[in-house]
Amino acid sequence: MRSPRTRPAAVLLLASALAAFGLGPAATPAAAATVPVGNGGYSDTRPAGTSGPTTNTGTPVTPKVTSAARNRPVPTNDWWSSLAFQRYGDNPWSTPMYGHPLTYQATAGGLDVGYPTSPAIVGDGRQYEYAHKRDLTIGLTGLNSPDTKADDWSDWTVTPLWSDGTRTLRTTIGHGSPFVYAKGTGGNAQITTAGAPTVFADQGNVLGITVAGHHYALFAPSGSDWNVSGSTVTAGLGGKDYFSVAVLPSTGALSTFAKYAFSFVTDSKATWSYSGGTVRATYTLTTEAKEGSERGTLQALYRHQWLNTSDALTSYSYVSPRGTMKVREGASFSTSQKASAVLPALPKSSGVDAARLRGYLNDVVNASDPFSGASDTYWTGKALGRLAQLVPVAEQIGETGIRDRMLNLMKGKLQDWFTAGGANEFSYDKDWKTLTGYPASYGSDTELNDHHFHYGYYVYAAAIVAQYDPAWAADSAWGGMVKTLVRDTANPSRTDSAFPFLRGFDVYAGHSWASGHQGFAAGNNQESSSESTNLSAALVLWGSATGDTSLRDLGTFLLTTESEAIAQYWFDADEQVFPSSFGHDTAGMVWGSGAAYATWWTANPEEIHGINVLPVTGGSLHLGGEKAAIRRNIAEMERENGGPAVEWRDILWEFQSFADPASAKSKWDAGNGGYTPEEGESKAHTYHWISTLDTLGAPDASVTGDIPTSAVFTKGSTRTYVAHNHGSSARTVTFSDGKTLSVPARSTASGTGAGSEDPDPDPDPEDPPTGNVFQLRGGGVLTTSTGGTAGSDTIPSAGGTNHDGTPYQPLVYEARGVNGTLTSGAGTTFRLQVDAGTTVGLGQQARISYDLTGDGTFDRTETYNYFATDPVTGWEEYSQARGLRSSTGTLGNLKGGTVRLEVWSAIGNGSSKLQTGTDKSVVVIPFS
């Protein structure tokens, strides 16, 4: 919930949202015993005078689950956590839960359901929210349950249970589900609406109603009949125990939804894999046919999902706080993304003055207290993180003595925490099945907040130690405790009886949640998304350093997935998520109901803009994938701040360096001498970071290496390829543009790369590989040849009319006689450089078509959402990330086929330019 610099004040206005922080007397602990783990261990009992999970008044609480779920680890920090964590003593049901598109709240009479479609701007314009508002309640006649408990759950679905001694109701709800699946005994199905419903379809056991402008379908067992009496709708179940309710995208969708009304979801599961620079994930629902044999279903995909899937989607969509959700007909779908880069540190470069850096390093290592008095898990973690960033930097300039002193400081502090019985330790709570560090902070004990924020720093520091001292990281030494922290925060196992699966990471929402109780009217929340990805990057480095490819790949999946969610939901990179009435270019925190331009502890713009950047590490490089959003972000910060950053200038300089390294360097040069570093930063790291990126250029997310610990940087027309090899033997890293890099064992290497088609090093990193990467050339040519002359073609104006989806005076580029084998699971990608000058809102649009056999008939056509330009200087990049607007046909192997690109102006009243002759404007087809 929090990632604060100081104890937070309530600066965010939420409708009845903020919890109090009152703590009652701690329970008297039993005699503690140490659970040994390698050379360390943890306690099985909290330290004297401390608390575990409590209500807001300090009363100890245990998980609110049924007997069937009593022995299962509860996934706290989820979108539905208030079902299991009774934060408020007078609410034994739940607070609002945001499944999207539906919202829910458990009450004595059943499940309140809503579908908020209009945002409200609250908190002096600082927050937008699609707040839960009841449209109807799903229950049973006479149901009056004293509480609601979690009875079952899976990766993104949950089954709450109500029982009043006579009647029992279970419902299954989940992210992306337009259905609520209900099972009830002891009463008839009862739907109570917020106002008298309008019936638009009555088919006996199928009833279509409209409530508050939203369309719902009610499904009772065959042979039953719905009866409408005012605001109460009932149906006998005819000896059955099931019924369902769905929110419809339109009244015309009723028949499609009726097809799946009795295909009840019983499980949800995400699987992932990493290979060759690509992360693939599959999201699968398991269903049970209550009637008939239909086992399919409907599920709504979030923006971060449908932007990265090639699976067919229907024309149906829903409104949500995360932008448009698009509906998939089927029990599963898959996504594919380029893996986010992770490095232990930026590489050595000529832009760093060794003597100057040495002085900054000595300032850190010679400080009277390198840990700045930190005592709790959060502040100790930040101090560990500050040192961890400098260890590889010291080695780069030959300062092995400084390196080793820092390593020893980190080892000592980690070992202190990893040993039970001292002033600080980790303790296991057998009821909540969680590991809590004491002294705790910011509700990490009483509210189970922020474990991923705090412990990510420990895992990251341990990963750097493991890079230099593998013996220290052995399970029999201190690695076992590192893995125990991983099990608490990001456990990949669904069968571990001691810790829940991925405690804080919501695999369907695409990001983590920070609050352990979710006891807010606005749902759950996450402020510092960057501290969440810090844990993911730490998993990549730890897994790479220790040879645990499973943890490495988990970290890559988490980081890559969350990086897309951050771009869309925190930074609104495509400007398709935030309501236009919100008026901000970034969110300090994301809520289930929306997002807020705020932090938990201050309204200072510098910290609102910086909290989703820190800590800046080699795991932050994914931020460089959205350069236009960074520029908007920095510009807004300076407007709101009345000028450049003052307090967190180092964090914001580093943020700017992801898009404009030269601008960041000029700010460092002008102000580096007279500022106090942010608590997790140092002048040594900031100087090294900004000077290195000024030399190498900003991160280039369009190219990936075939190991997670690799990255690419581009300055002008020069690319620099970087990789760290944790292995014990040298290896060659191959990048997606065909370049290769030889990396010695246990080392970082960098260079301009060797071409895969040429055994000799090629000093020109601009050449794309032959085969499936096509450059644009003047005259309407697509070619795999390199070495073209940079130029541009003019995209005619749309003439002030709308041509969205239909080519209008398009530029046409073709490649003929193309042969290729379709790559399973892959999709078309492209990057097109466009320039509209200072004109806003010219909408360039692309369509890519495949004639598989060259017979003149296009077998597959893909039309992408148009790109609305910004008034920025120079070229802007339009890519497939804008999303697929429509598609026809299917792909197959190419045999003498034709690939065609069409680009036109969909909207606007002015011409623009399309870059040709460079590898910055290319189409990449999914063929080998």
Side-chain angles (χ1 to χ4, degrees), residues 310 312-313 805 828 847-852 857-864 884-892:
S310 58
L313 303 175
T828 307
R847 183 167 80 177
I848 298 171
S849 305
Y850 297 89
D851 173 357
L852 299 177
T857 299
F858 285 95
D859 306 279
R860 168 74 173 176
T861 298
E862 301 171 358
T863 303
Y864 291 84
L884 193 62
R885 183 186 186 278
S886 64
S887 63
T888 60
T890 57
L891 285 171

Short mmCIF file of all heavy atoms in Angstrom, two decimals, residues 310 312-313 805 828 847-852 857-864 884-892:
data_model
loop_
_atom_site.label_atom_id
_atom_site.label_comp_id
_atom_site.label_asym_id
_atom_site.label_seq_id
_atom_site.Cartn_x
_atom_site.Cartn_y
_atom_site.Cartn_z
N SER A 310 -2.32 -12.28 -30.35
CA SER A 310 -2.74 -12.44 -31.74
C SER A 310 -3.98 -13.32 -31.83
O SER A 310 -4.44 -13.64 -32.92
CB SER A 310 -1.61 -13.04 -32.57
OG SER A 310 -1.20 -14.30 -32.05
N ALA A 312 -7.89 -14.33 -31.76
CA ALA A 312 -9.06 -13.64 -32.26
C ALA A 312 -9.91 -13.11 -31.11
O ALA A 312 -10.10 -13.80 -30.10
CB ALA A 312 -9.90 -14.58 -33.13
N LEU A 313 -10.41 -11.90 -31.27
CA LEU A 313 -11.29 -11.29 -30.29
C LEU A 313 -12.62 -10.97 -30.95
O LEU A 313 -12.70 -10.77 -32.17
CB LEU A 313 -10.66 -10.00 -29.74
CG LEU A 313 -9.29 -10.15 -29.09
CD1 LEU A 313 -8.74 -8.79 -28.69
CD2 LEU A 313 -9.34 -11.07 -27.88
N GLY A 805 -10.01 2.91 -40.25
CA GLY A 805 -10.25 1.55 -40.69
C GLY A 805 -10.30 1.36 -42.19
O GLY A 805 -10.24 0.22 -42.68
N THR A 828 2.55 -10.13 -36.15
CA THR A 828 3.18 -9.03 -36.88
C THR A 828 3.58 -7.92 -35.91
O THR A 828 2.85 -7.59 -34.99
CB THR A 828 2.21 -8.45 -37.91
OG1 THR A 828 1.70 -9.51 -38.73
CG2 THR A 828 2.87 -7.39 -38.76
N ARG A 847 -2.16 -0.66 -42.24
CA ARG A 847 -2.77 -1.97 -42.52
C ARG A 847 -1.72 -2.84 -43.17
O ARG A 847 -1.02 -2.40 -44.09
CB ARG A 847 -3.98 -1.82 -43.43
CG ARG A 847 -4.70 -3.15 -43.68
CD ARG A 847 -6.06 -2.94 -44.31
NE ARG A 847 -5.98 -2.69 -45.74
CZ ARG A 847 -7.05 -2.53 -46.53
NH1 ARG A 847 -8.27 -2.56 -46.00
NH2 ARG A 847 -6.91 -2.31 -47.82
N ILE A 848 -1.58 -4.06 -42.66
CA ILE A 848 -0.60 -5.00 -43.20
C ILE A 848 -1.36 -6.21 -43.72
O ILE A 848 -2.19 -6.80 -43.00
CB ILE A 848 0.43 -5.40 -42.13
CG1 ILE A 848 1.20 -4.14 -41.68
CG2 ILE A 848 1.39 -6.45 -42.66
CD1 ILE A 848 2.10 -4.36 -40.49
N SER A 849 -1.07 -6.59 -44.96
CA SER A 849 -1.81 -7.66 -45.61
C SER A 849 -0.85 -8.72 -46.15
O SER A 849 0.28 -8.40 -46.57
CB SER A 849 -2.66 -7.11 -46.77
OG SER A 849 -3.52 -6.07 -46.32
N TYR A 850 -1.31 -9.96 -46.14
CA TYR A 850 -0.51 -11.10 -46.60
C TYR A 850 -1.26 -11.84 -47.71
O TYR A 850 -2.38 -12.33 -47.49
CB TYR A 850 -0.23 -12.07 -45.46
CG TYR A 850 0.58 -11.51 -44.32
CD1 TYR A 850 -0.04 -10.86 -43.25
CD2 TYR A 850 1.97 -11.61 -44.29
CE1 TYR A 850 0.69 -10.34 -42.19
CE2 TYR A 850 2.72 -11.10 -43.24
CZ TYR A 850 2.07 -10.46 -42.19
OH TYR A 850 2.80 -9.97 -41.15
N ASP A 851 -0.64 -11.91 -48.87
CA ASP A 851 -1.08 -12.81 -49.96
C ASP A 851 -0.14 -14.00 -49.89
O ASP A 851 1.02 -13.92 -50.31
CB ASP A 851 -0.98 -12.07 -51.30
CG ASP A 851 -1.25 -12.96 -52.50
OD1 ASP A 851 -1.46 -14.17 -52.31
OD2 ASP A 851 -1.21 -12.44 -53.63
N LEU A 852 -0.59 -15.10 -49.34
CA LEU A 852 0.31 -16.19 -48.98
C LEU A 852 0.92 -16.88 -50.19
O LEU A 852 2.03 -17.45 -50.10
CB LEU A 852 -0.43 -17.22 -48.11
CG LEU A 852 -0.96 -16.67 -46.77
CD1 LEU A 852 -1.74 -17.75 -46.04
CD2 LEU A 852 0.19 -16.16 -45.90
N THR A 857 -4.80 -12.54 -54.19
CA THR A 857 -5.82 -12.49 -53.15
C THR A 857 -5.15 -12.44 -51.78
O THR A 857 -4.31 -13.31 -51.47
CB THR A 857 -6.73 -13.73 -53.21
OG1 THR A 857 -7.38 -13.76 -54.48
CG2 THR A 857 -7.78 -13.69 -52.10
N PHE A 858 -5.50 -11.44 -51.00
CA PHE A 858 -4.88 -11.32 -49.68
C PHE A 858 -5.63 -12.20 -48.69
O PHE A 858 -6.83 -12.02 -48.45
CB PHE A 858 -4.85 -9.85 -49.25
CG PHE A 858 -3.78 -9.07 -49.96
CD1 PHE A 858 -4.08 -8.35 -51.11
CD2 PHE A 858 -2.47 -9.11 -49.53
CE1 PHE A 858 -3.10 -7.66 -51.80
CE2 PHE A 858 -1.47 -8.42 -50.20
CZ PHE A 858 -1.78 -7.69 -51.34
N ASP A 859 -4.89 -13.16 -48.12
CA ASP A 859 -5.47 -14.15 -47.23
C ASP A 859 -5.60 -13.67 -45.80
O ASP A 859 -6.37 -14.22 -45.01
CB ASP A 859 -4.62 -15.42 -47.25
CG ASP A 859 -4.42 -15.94 -48.66
OD1 ASP A 859 -5.33 -16.62 -49.17
OD2 ASP A 859 -3.35 -15.66 -49.25
N ARG A 860 -4.84 -12.66 -45.42
CA ARG A 860 -4.85 -12.15 -44.05
C ARG A 860 -4.63 -10.65 -44.11
O ARG A 860 -3.68 -10.17 -44.76
CB ARG A 860 -3.75 -12.81 -43.21
CG ARG A 860 -3.45 -12.18 -41.86
CD ARG A 860 -4.52 -12.46 -40.83
NE ARG A 860 -4.13 -11.98 -39.50
CZ ARG A 860 -4.91 -12.03 -38.42
NH1 ARG A 860 -6.12 -12.57 -38.51
NH2 ARG A 860 -4.48 -11.56 -37.26
N THR A 861 -5.50 -9.90 -43.43
CA THR A 861 -5.38 -8.45 -43.37
C THR A 861 -5.49 -8.01 -41.92
O THR A 861 -6.41 -8.43 -41.21
CB THR A 861 -6.49 -7.77 -44.20
OG1 THR A 861 -6.34 -8.16 -45.57
CG2 THR A 861 -6.37 -6.26 -44.11
N GLU A 862 -4.55 -7.18 -41.48
CA GLU A 862 -4.53 -6.68 -40.11
C GLU A 862 -4.53 -5.16 -40.14
O GLU A 862 -3.61 -4.54 -40.69
CB GLU A 862 -3.27 -7.18 -39.38
CG GLU A 862 -3.17 -8.70 -39.33
CD GLU A 862 -1.82 -9.18 -38.79
OE1 GLU A 862 -0.96 -8.32 -38.50
OE2 GLU A 862 -1.62 -10.40 -38.68
N THR A 863 -5.56 -4.56 -39.56
CA THR A 863 -5.66 -3.10 -39.49
C THR A 863 -5.43 -2.68 -38.04
O THR A 863 -6.09 -3.20 -37.13
CB THR A 863 -7.04 -2.62 -39.96
OG1 THR A 863 -7.27 -3.10 -41.29
CG2 THR A 863 -7.11 -1.09 -39.94
N TYR A 864 -4.51 -1.76 -37.84
CA TYR A 864 -4.13 -1.35 -36.49
C TYR A 864 -4.77 -0.01 -36.13
O TYR A 864 -5.08 0.80 -37.01
CB TYR A 864 -2.60 -1.28 -36.38
CG TYR A 864 -1.98 -2.65 -36.45
CD1 TYR A 864 -1.72 -3.25 -37.68
CD2 TYR A 864 -1.71 -3.37 -35.29
CE1 TYR A 864 -1.19 -4.54 -37.76
CE2 TYR A 864 -1.18 -4.66 -35.36
CZ TYR A 864 -0.93 -5.23 -36.59
OH TYR A 864 -0.42 -6.50 -36.65
N LEU A 884 -4.53 -3.94 -32.30
CA LEU A 884 -5.17 -4.39 -33.53
C LEU A 884 -6.62 -3.92 -33.55
O LEU A 884 -7.40 -4.26 -32.65
CB LEU A 884 -5.08 -5.91 -33.62
CG LEU A 884 -5.40 -6.58 -34.95
CD1 LEU A 884 -4.42 -6.13 -36.02
CD2 LEU A 884 -5.37 -8.10 -34.79
N ARG A 885 -6.99 -3.14 -34.55
CA ARG A 885 -8.37 -2.65 -34.65
C ARG A 885 -9.27 -3.73 -35.21
O ARG A 885 -10.39 -3.93 -34.74
CB ARG A 885 -8.42 -1.41 -35.54
CG ARG A 885 -9.81 -0.78 -35.65
CD ARG A 885 -9.82 0.36 -36.66
NE ARG A 885 -11.09 1.06 -36.66
CZ ARG A 885 -12.17 0.65 -37.32
NH1 ARG A 885 -12.12 -0.48 -38.02
NH2 ARG A 885 -13.29 1.36 -37.26
N SER A 886 -8.79 -4.41 -36.23
CA SER A 886 -9.59 -5.48 -36.84
C SER A 886 -8.67 -6.38 -37.64
O SER A 886 -7.54 -6.01 -37.98
CB SER A 886 -10.68 -4.91 -37.75
OG SER A 886 -10.09 -4.21 -38.86
N SER A 887 -9.16 -7.58 -37.93
CA SER A 887 -8.39 -8.49 -38.76
C SER A 887 -9.34 -9.42 -39.49
O SER A 887 -10.46 -9.69 -39.03
CB SER A 887 -7.40 -9.30 -37.92
OG SER A 887 -8.09 -10.11 -36.98
N THR A 888 -8.88 -9.91 -40.63
CA THR A 888 -9.65 -10.89 -41.39
C THR A 888 -8.71 -11.98 -41.86
O THR A 888 -7.52 -11.73 -42.09
CB THR A 888 -10.34 -10.26 -42.61
OG1 THR A 888 -9.33 -9.70 -43.49
CG2 THR A 888 -11.31 -9.16 -42.20
N GLY A 889 -9.22 -13.18 -42.02
CA GLY A 889 -8.43 -14.28 -42.53
C GLY A 889 -7.44 -14.82 -41.52
O GLY A 889 -7.38 -14.39 -40.38
N THR A 890 -6.68 -15.81 -41.97
CA THR A 890 -5.70 -16.45 -41.10
C THR A 890 -4.36 -16.54 -41.83
O THR A 890 -4.28 -16.52 -43.05
CB THR A 890 -6.15 -17.87 -40.71
OG1 THR A 890 -6.37 -18.63 -41.91
CG2 THR A 890 -7.42 -17.84 -39.89
N LEU A 891 -3.30 -16.63 -41.03
CA LEU A 891 -1.96 -16.75 -41.58
C LEU A 891 -1.61 -18.20 -41.85
O LEU A 891 -2.11 -19.11 -41.19
CB LEU A 891 -0.94 -16.14 -40.61
CG LEU A 891 -0.89 -14.62 -40.54
CD1 LEU A 891 0.00 -14.17 -39.40
CD2 LEU A 891 -0.39 -14.05 -41.86
N GLY A 892 -0.74 -18.40 -42.80
CA GLY A 892 -0.15 -19.69 -43.10
C GLY A 892 1.23 -19.46 -43.67
O GLY A 892 1.73 -18.33 -43.67
#
